Amino acid sequence: MISSPLFVIYDTRDNILDAKKGRLLELETAPYFYMDSKEKPFLKTQISASTYFNIKTKLQPVIAIRAATGTIVGTKPRSIPETERFYVGGNNSLRGYAYQFASNLDSNNRPTGGQSFVEMTIELRLKMNDDIGIVSFLDNGYAYNSVTPDLKKKLLHGAG
């Protein structure tokens, strides 16, 4: 299989590791072609957007909002290699769910990944001092077996 990804990034964050204000928009798309197979090529695309608001008070609260979605078009879900499917769950997407487990599971309770996904999160970050901060969050998301996320079906939630 060969692929050549294309990235577009727009970043106005004041700090990439601890943003207090600004925006981040990321678009990634990649066509996939099989070399030794009769499987159809497919296109994998994902987009994410984050924004950060700083409120100037003693605790310096920051509100961080992120949304992401993606789709794979051109083939059926089971024709997509497991390594290229979308997975949701774990520390970087839907906290409170095991890594990659916010999707359909097979008969052995292993995640199957999806052809599309959606993730949304909102955080409130409070800085106690230069070394200590507190974060509360609400996450939502799921990986679906359809070309577009079906928000009428499952959407899992995590909070902490």
Side-chain angles (χ1 to χ4, degrees), residues 100-145:
Q100 299 184 339
F101 269 72
S103 71
N104 292 315
L105 304 177
D106 66 15
S107 60
N108 295 317
N109 285 329
R110 292 182 304 225
T112 60
Q115 191 170 359
S116 64
F117 81 98
V118 65
E119 296 174 349
M120 298 164 278
T121 188
I122 185 166
E123 295 180 348
L124 174 62
R125 303 173 183 174
L126 300 173
K127 195 166 189 169
M128 306 310 286
N129 60 39
D130 287 340
D131 299 319
I132 298 173
I134 299 171
V135 177
S136 61
F137 64 87
L138 176 62
D139 296 340
N140 301 282
Y142 201 75
Y144 299 89
N145 285 334

Side-chain angles (χ1 to χ4, degrees), residues 35-60:
M35 298 299 292
D36 297 332
S37 171
K38 293 184 178 166
E39 294 287 341
K40 293 169 62 174
F42 61 90
L43 180 69
K44 181 178 180 179
T45 303
Q46 54 190 339
I47 187 169
S48 68
S50 302
T51 188
Y52 304 86
F53 305 95
N54 183 2
I55 302 168
K56 298 199 185 277
T57 64
K58 181 179 179 183
L59 294 178
Q60 301 175 7

Side-chain angles (χ1 to χ4, degrees), residues 2-17:
I2 62 169
S3 177
S4 180
L6 171 69
F7 298 90
V8 177
I9 299 173
Y10 173 75
D11 191 352
T12 65
R13 295 173 296 172
D14 59 340
N15 183 319
I16 64 172
L17 297 177

Side-chain angles (χ1 to χ4, degrees), residues 23-92:
R23 292 177 181 84
L24 174 63
L25 180 64
E26 298 176 285
L27 170 67
E28 177 184 352
T29 190
Y32 288 80
F33 299 94
Y34 291 92
M35 298 299 292
D36 297 332
S37 171
K38 293 184 178 166
E39 294 287 341
K40 293 169 62 174
F42 61 90
L43 180 69
K44 181 178 180 179
T45 303
Q46 54 190 339
I47 187 169
S48 68
S50 302
T51 188
Y52 304 86
F53 305 95
N54 183 2
I55 302 168
K56 298 199 185 277
T57 64
K58 181 179 179 183
L59 294 178
Q60 301 175 7
V62 173
I63 297 172
I65 301 170
R66 179 181 178 272
T69 190
T71 186
I72 300 172
V73 296
T75 191
K76 296 178 181 177
R78 294 294 164 233
S79 298
I80 303 166
E82 289 182 15
T83 57
E84 297 306 328
R85 296 177 191 159
F86 293 114
Y87 294 89
V88 175
N91 292 343
N92 294 322

